[in-house]
Amino acid sequence: MSRRKLVVGNWKMNGLKAQLAEVEAIGRVAAEHPAVEVGLCVPATLIMAAAERKGAAFIGGQDCHMNASGAHTGCLSAEMLAEAGAEWIIVGHSERREAQGETDEHVAAKAFAAKAAGLKVILCVGESLDVRDAGDAESVVSAQLLASLPEGAAADWLAIAYEPIWAIGTGRIPTMEAVAAMHAALRASLASRIGGQADAMRILYGGSMNGDNAAELMALADVDGGLVGGASLTAEKFAPIIAAAG
Ligand code: PGA
């Protein structure tokens, strides 16, 4: 099964209007690599302006509410994000699971709401260092994935991002063997739930991906792209990762 590589920047809580020039530059890099699907998940305040300057990249958001509307002060619905110009949305990032107390059930509900609003979804999973050190990473992350998987999960609107929490923003990554084993385990878990769709579903790696390690990571059989934080903030740092994918 050949899966089109998906390389997505997660700007987290970074980016003001001045950074729209980087969006434009990254959109131009994306145009040079048509074999790769490239996107930027920017802060919600930038989605509308970024969508006008995205070039060949897509623009996405970083979270949405699980409800379509209502009394949820400060929250944004999937429909609002889609109207602003988002095409994809990240759900279940470990920073939200930890700091905002999001559970697997919340994540599945958010993914389902996003799909209902016409968004595509990147669903994040990953283990803590304690779990990794205890040798339980594959079983814990597989269970987390199955518990977070929305109803109707299918490869044309859902991608998975495996992000070991201890690798995010730290400059540390697992061994290539460990990444390969995890991605194979996650694909097997997906197959147990969604059958043939598992073959087509993209499974991204995230956590300190950069221009030096991206090619080796994305050459692994079940690594179908990357979710990139720090190294996606400028075209200069993001371009080599995009090039490594295609
Ligand atoms: P990082 O973040 O690339 O800065 O480690 C990745 C992520 O959290 O999505």
Side-chain angles (χ1 to χ4, degrees):
M1 164 66 63
S2 89
R3 294 171 291 264
R4 188 181 178 203
K5 290 276 196 292
L6 174 61
V7 177
V8 182
N10 172 14
W11 277 17
K12 309 191 180 185
M13 200 171 71
N14 300 290
L16 296 167
K17 279 192 274 185
Q19 277 72 53
L20 289 169
E22 294 296 341
V23 173
E24 213 163 87
I26 289 164
R28 283 195 296 269
V29 175
E32 290 162 16
H33 299 279
V36 185
E37 190 170 1
V38 177
L40 283 178
C41 292
V42 297
T45 46
L46 284 185
I47 289 174
M48 211 176 277
E52 285 172 8
R53 298 170 71 165
K54 65 187 175 57
F58 65 76
I59 299 301
Q62 302 171 9
D63 175 53
C64 66
H65 200 275
M66 66 186 85
N67 292 349
S69 64
H72 304 288
T73 302
C75 299
L76 297 171
S77 73
E79 189 181 14
M80 290 170 183
L81 293 155
E83 188 184 63
E87 295 174 66
W88 285 76
I89 196 95
I90 296 169
V91 298
H93 192 283
S94 59
E95 287 154 14
R96 294 199 60 85
R97 288 177 183 266
E98 285 187 344
Q100 264 73 35
E102 292 188 5
T103 64
D104 293 336
E105 291 71 24
H106 293 145
V107 174
K110 285 173 180 231
F112 190 76
K115 159 76 167 116
L119 292 169
K120 296 180 184 175
V121 173
I122 296 169
L123 192 167
C124 303
V125 293
E127 82 283 0
S128 66
L129 193 55
D130 284 352
V131 167
R132 169 62 60 183
D133 287 345
D136 296 334
E138 285 165 35
S139 60
V140 166
V141 179
S142 295
Q144 188 187 33
L145 173 59
L146 291 180
S148 305
L149 212 58
E151 213 178 289
D156 62 349
W157 66 273
L158 184 68
I160 308 303
Y162 165 57
E163 299 202 306
I165 297 167
W166 53 273
I168 294 175
T170 60
R172 294 179 58 198
I173 63 169
T175 63
M176 293 297 150
E177 292 71 24
V179 174
M182 178 65 79
H183 281 238
L186 295 180
R187 198 173 303 286
S189 295
L190 286 171
S192 75
R193 177 71 62 83
I194 58 172
Q197 280 292 317
D199 246 5
M201 193 167 285
R202 272 99 48 103
I203 306 179
L204 317 183
Y205 170 81
S208 297
M209 185 181 266
N210 59 40
D212 294 330
N213 60 30
E216 199 179 355
L217 283 162
M218 289 192 280
L220 298 172
D222 285 300
V223 177
D224 307 308
L227 183 58
V228 185
S232 72
L233 291 170
T234 64
E236 190 189 355
K237 285 191 183 154
F238 202 23
I241 301 175
I242 295 167

